[in-house]
Amino acid sequence: MKVLAIDDQKLVLIPLEKRLTELGYQVIIETDALKGIELYNLHSPDLVIVDMNMPSISGMEVVKYIRTHKKSSTPIMVLSGNTDDQLIIEGFDLGINDYMKKPLSLNEISARVKRLIGASIEEKDVKATTNNVLIQERCVGVVIPCYNEENRLLSKEFTDFLDKNTGYHLCFVNDGSKDNTLGVLKDIQKGREDFITVYNCEKNGGKAEAVRLGMLHMVKKEDLDYIGFLDADLSTDLTDFDNLVSTIEKSEYKIVSGSRISRMGANITKESARKIISLTINYIIRTILGMNFKDTQCGAKIFDKEVIPLVFGRKFITKWLFDVEIFMRMKRYFGLKKATTLLCEIPLKRWIHADGSKLSMKDSVKIVAQLAKIAWFYRGKKELEYKSKTKSIDYRSVIVDQK
């Protein structure tokens, strides 16, 4: 039996295709709705699964084509994050057979497919699936800068997370490493090319530039809704990062940042001397920004896609304090009052300082000088070159400035 699945987000389609194939169905996937209609005519599937919100034509137009133009009774299931009651009623009036709201487990989707068109193979022959994997409403890119991480990279934690969490695409940026980091990253990517990108910088440019280039590379992927960055040592855990994603998708925030400041019940550890220096530096940062952020330097942040060209379009002027520059650029573009409504800080449940961090105590002293440089560079200026409406940006045309 053939199943045609149409969704503009490939990260949604791949796990769906894998699961239904395990169940013995022949699965055809397509990210373009117009091409999906062509595939419908070519293959005459036994079931069509379609998303509602797609850029070329909507899923409703696909339903209308099948029911009105083709006058076909092919079973149609809608798998969508759109929860508008009127749209759902219209769909059933047109003759859809089921409407599934994201997020939804693959197990439930499989059961609904079986109910509509029957099992493709005997139950005893079905490959056991213990994880109740969810098909998410949103797709997320995560940039992970790596410099000489051959011996610290927790490869299995990354791959296990991808196996259990759909809708994620990891972009590891090799920042001119001198060891075998690139080889380790290639091994992680093997067999997961649809979910893992390795962006290789031949020369070391520092964390700020590695993150910037990775973000500008990922923003060109059309199926991503949000893109963030995370430290390679996983001092911020991937589950905590997913909580940041949940916050931004349910709000109007454009940037959600993690905070390592301790709170009741949190498992946060750090060397006491480093903690004192960090608190002092943070006080200076709050003064410069005019914002009451407790921890601008946390290495876990998630961004609405539309502000990425704004904050990452040009090279940062400092090596370690690009996080401060991100907030400063938001402030200069939107104004202080508006910017504070677009930025959010979420306490992390867990954060552990990892041995081997590249930032030494001596480096911490230099930060004060870099903060003075930021305050001077961004003094009272307005980012006129960014004043085009961000929603009109064609992300595919973003130029990566490596000069």
Side-chain angles (χ1 to χ4, degrees), residues 325-344:
E325 293 191 61
I326 287 171
F327 294 124
M328 189 66 83
R329 290 177 181 185
M330 289 289 289
K331 175 184 173 182
R332 289 172 63 189
Y333 180 78
F334 292 104
L336 177 59
K337 184 176 180 180
K338 178 65 175 177
T340 54
T341 68
L342 301 177
L343 307 173
C344 176

Side-chain angles (χ1 to χ4, degrees), residues 53-65:
N53 302 326
M54 293 184 285
S56 54
I57 61 172
S58 70
M60 193 63 74
E61 292 302 315
V62 175
V63 174
K64 289 178 181 177
Y65 176 82

Side-chain angles (χ1 to χ4, degrees), residues 18 138 180 193 254 302 307 329 332 341 358 388:
K18 179 182 177 182
R138 76 297 186 271
N180 190 39
E193 288 79 7
K254 299 302 180 185
I302 186 72
V307 301
R329 290 177 181 185
R332 289 172 63 189
T341 68
K358 309 301 183 293
S388 61

Side-chain angles (χ1 to χ4, degrees), residues 38-284:
E38 294 177 8
L39 289 172
Y40 173 82
N41 291 325
L42 182 64
H43 294 283
S44 300
D46 300 289
L47 172 67
V48 174
I49 301 176
V50 64
D51 183 24
M52 276 290 121
N53 302 326
M54 293 184 285
S56 54
I57 61 172
S58 70
M60 193 63 74
E61 292 302 315
V62 175
V63 174
K64 289 178 181 177
Y65 176 82
I66 295 173
R67 290 289 184 261
T68 306
H69 180 73
K70 298 294 290 186
K71 299 187 185 305
S72 171
S73 59
T74 303
I76 301 174
M77 299 171 64
V78 175
L79 176 59
S80 178
N82 195 321
T83 59
D84 180 68
D85 285 347
Q86 192 57 46
L87 182 75
I88 295 172
I89 292 170
E90 182 183 353
F92 279 110
D93 286 343
L94 280 170
I96 65 171
N97 301 84
D98 202 352
Y99 197 107
M100 302 175 287
K101 299 178 183 179
K102 300 175 187 174
L104 191 74
S105 76
L106 280 174
N107 289 342
E108 182 175 345
I109 295 172
S110 301
R112 290 171 181 253
V113 169
K114 180 180 175 182
R115 178 181 62 83
L116 275 180
I117 61 174
S120 187
I121 55 180
E122 291 294 328
E123 199 72 41
K124 61 182 176 62
D125 296 326
V126 176
K127 186 178 178 180
T129 302
T130 57
N131 295 325
N132 193 18
V133 179
L134 293 179
I135 292 292
Q136 297 290 349
E137 181 180 351
R138 76 297 186 271
C139 291
V140 182
V142 186
V143 173
I144 303 155
C146 302
Y147 178 67
N148 291 349
E149 298 286 354
E150 176 185 359
N151 296 320
R152 293 203 312 162
L153 207 60
L154 302 174
S155 306
K156 191 174 187 303
E157 291 198 24
F158 288 111
T159 54
D160 284 352
F161 181 80
L162 286 177
D163 290 341
K164 296 175 183 177
N165 296 270
T166 67
Y168 271 91
H169 188 114
L170 306 183
C171 175
F172 291 94
V173 180
N174 178 45
D175 187 23
S177 298
K178 306 302 182 185
D179 62 4
N180 190 39
T181 294
L182 182 59
V184 172
L185 296 178
K186 291 292 186 180
D187 286 341
I188 296 174
Q189 183 190 36
K190 195 173 299 181
R192 292 181 171 86
E193 288 79 7
D194 289 315
F195 304 98
I196 295 178
T197 292
V198 176
Y199 187 101
N200 185 41
C201 302
E202 293 185 2
K203 295 182 179 180
N204 175 248
K207 180 180 178 181
E209 186 63 359
V211 169
R212 192 181 78 88
L213 294 177
M215 296 292 285
L216 292 179
H217 178 73
M218 292 295 279
V219 81
K220 298 177 183 180
K221 293 186 177 295
E222 296 181 354
D223 63 341
L224 298 180
D225 301 302
Y226 308 103
I227 305 172
F229 59 85
L230 188 66
D231 288 337
D233 59 20
L234 288 181
S235 50
T236 298
D237 147 312
L238 286 159
T239 302
D240 255 359
F241 187 85
D242 195 54
N243 291 337
L244 301 185
V245 175
S246 296
T247 298
I248 199 169
E249 71 172 326
K250 296 173 183 175
S251 69
E252 297 299 319
Y253 295 125
K254 299 302 180 185
I255 302 176
V256 174
S257 177
S259 172
R260 298 162 293 183
I261 301 302
S262 183
R263 64 173 184 166
M264 186 76 70
N267 177 22
I268 298 179
T269 61
K270 199 172 186 182
E271 300 167 16
S272 57
R274 288 175 59 88
K275 184 175 181 180
I276 292 171
I277 292 174
S278 294
L279 291 174
T280 303
I281 290 173
N282 184 256
Y283 173 77
I284 300 173

Side-chain angles (χ1 to χ4, degrees), residues 152 207 233 260 270-271 274 277-278 281 297 319-321 353-367 370:
R152 293 203 312 162
K207 180 180 178 181
D233 59 20
R260 298 162 293 183
K270 199 172 186 182
E271 300 167 16
R274 288 175 59 88
I277 292 174
S278 294
I281 290 173
Q297 299 310 108
K319 182 178 180 181
W320 296 308
L321 298 176
H353 170 64
D355 292 335
S357 289
K358 309 301 183 293
L359 188 64
S360 67
M361 296 288 284
K362 184 178 179 181
D363 292 332
S364 299
V365 178
K366 298 178 183 178
I367 288 177
Q370 292 196 22

